[in-house]
């Protein structure tokens, strides 16, 4: 399913740049425009998830999906993975409609990708056995840094990022919600975060550099 979604990203991008196609038509009809959604063009609550504003935007969002999507698809199966992805994108676009001005226009899959992070967090909290501690820590770090960058970078659809994350988390959490699991996970995460300061100085510089590069490349995809 990840391969299919990335292929759609690429095909739509080519349709918007190759001169043999009516390039502007795709942006005019598939991008998220709040005013047009309010006038009845409800497909725009989904189609912006597959559109991108340029090559780098498409490349890095696709890279992020390839990096984080396959493992979750293997855990959930293709059908449920697609539901999580589309539902998160829908919630992100719906929040954009409700919270941004009618003139607001947006494209990009980052809201849906944040939804994958949200689902991962639900797994970390309520179904710990599905992920190793190391992978859980990596996801938490990437999610934290991505959220910080959401508020620091200009021209970011903050509503889509936050509500996409929330949508994915709710899909993963609601069927397995347990107050004790939630409390235990918060305590474990807090203890782990506080202990990382002591470990940083002992990390191999090469290992730190590799992980820093992966994190930067993944987060670049969210900067639209």
């Amino acid at each position: 399913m990840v391969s299919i979604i990335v292929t759609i990203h690429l095909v739509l991008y080519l349709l918007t740049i190759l001169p043999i196609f009516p390039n502007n038509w795709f942006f005019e009809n598939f991008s998220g425009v709040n005013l047009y959604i309010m006038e009845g063009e409800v497909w725009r609550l989904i189609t912006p998830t597959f559109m991108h504003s340029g090559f780098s935007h498409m490349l890095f969002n696709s890279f992020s999906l390839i990096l984080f999507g396959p493992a979750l698809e293997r855990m959930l199966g293709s059908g449920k993975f697609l539901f999580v992805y589309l539902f998160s994108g829908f919630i992100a676009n719906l929040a954009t409609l409700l919270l941004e001005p009618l003139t607001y226009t947006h494209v990009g899959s980052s809201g849906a990708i944040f939804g994958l992070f949200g689902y991962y967090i639900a797994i970390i909290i309520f179904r710990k056995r599905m992920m190793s501690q190391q992978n859980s820590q990596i996801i938490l770090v990437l999610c934290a840094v991505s959220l910080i960058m959401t508020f620091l970078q200009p021209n970011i659809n903050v509503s889509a990022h936050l509500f996409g994350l929330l949508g994915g988390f709710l899909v993963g959490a609601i069927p397995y919600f347990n107050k004790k699991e939630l409390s235990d996970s918060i305590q474990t995460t807090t203890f782990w975060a506080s202990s990382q300061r002591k470990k940083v100085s002992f990390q191999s510089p090469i290992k730190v550099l590799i992980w820093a590069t992966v994190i930067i490349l993944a987060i670049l995809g969210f900067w639209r």
Side-chain angles (χ1 to χ4, degrees):
M1 195 56 65
V2 170
S3 300
I4 292 173
I5 294 171
V6 170
T7 300
I8 294 173
H9 289 178
L10 180 59
V11 169
L12 284 175
Y13 171 72
L14 292 175
L15 291 175
T16 62
I17 64 167
L18 295 178
I20 60 175
F21 300 107
N23 308 137
N24 291 334
W25 184 90
F26 293 97
F27 279 115
E28 291 171 356
N29 289 277
F30 292 163
S31 60
V33 182
N34 286 346
L35 178 61
Y36 296 159
I37 296 173
M38 292 298 292
E39 291 179 346
E41 298 184 5
V42 293
W43 64 85
R44 294 179 187 269
L45 290 172
I46 290 294
T47 53
T49 302
F50 300 97
M51 297 289 296
H52 294 89
S53 60
F55 178 73
S56 61
H57 191 200
M58 183 274 297
L59 177 65
F60 286 117
N61 268 349
S62 298
F63 172 80
S64 298
L65 180 58
I66 291 171
L67 193 60
F68 303 111
L72 187 59
E73 183 177 353
R74 284 193 292 271
M75 283 189 278
L76 302 181
S78 297
K80 190 170 182 179
F81 173 85
L82 181 61
F83 173 78
V84 172
Y85 188 81
L86 293 180
F87 179 79
S88 301
F90 171 79
I91 292 297
N93 293 330
L94 181 62
T96 302
L97 172 65
L98 298 176
L99 299 176
E100 300 294 343
L102 287 178
T103 55
Y104 193 81
T105 301
H106 59 99
V107 292
S109 59
S110 54
I113 296 172
F114 263 90
L116 302 186
F117 274 122
Y119 200 98
Y120 272 123
I121 292 173
I123 290 175
I124 292 169
I125 294 175
F126 299 110
R127 288 181 284 174
K128 297 176 183 178
R129 294 187 181 89
M130 291 184 68
M131 290 182 64
S132 67
Q133 183 177 8
Q134 183 180 16
N135 288 337
S136 298
Q137 291 171 356
I138 291 171
I139 291 295
L140 290 173
V141 170
L142 285 170
C143 185
V145 175
S146 298
L147 283 174
I148 292 171
M149 297 305 297
T150 291
F151 293 99
L152 295 181
Q153 293 297 315
N155 303 319
I156 296 291
N157 188 348
V158 176
S159 300
H161 285 200
L162 295 181
F163 281 87
L165 180 72
L166 178 62
F169 175 78
L170 290 177
V171 172
I174 289 175
Y176 303 95
F177 181 77
N178 180 287
K179 289 183 179 180
K180 185 178 184 303
E181 288 283 344
L182 178 60
S183 177
D184 291 346
S185 294
I186 291 174
Q187 292 178 8
T188 301
T189 302
T190 302
F191 175 79
W192 169 77
S194 64
S195 68
Q196 293 310 297
R197 299 177 188 174
K198 301 176 183 179
K199 296 181 180 180
V200 170
S201 59
F202 298 102
Q203 294 291 329
S204 163
I206 296 177
K207 185 177 180 180
V208 172
L209 180 61
I210 292 173
W211 273 114
T213 302
V214 171
I215 290 171
I216 290 170
L217 288 174
I219 293 171
L220 280 173
F222 301 139
W223 291 6
R224 288 295 187 277

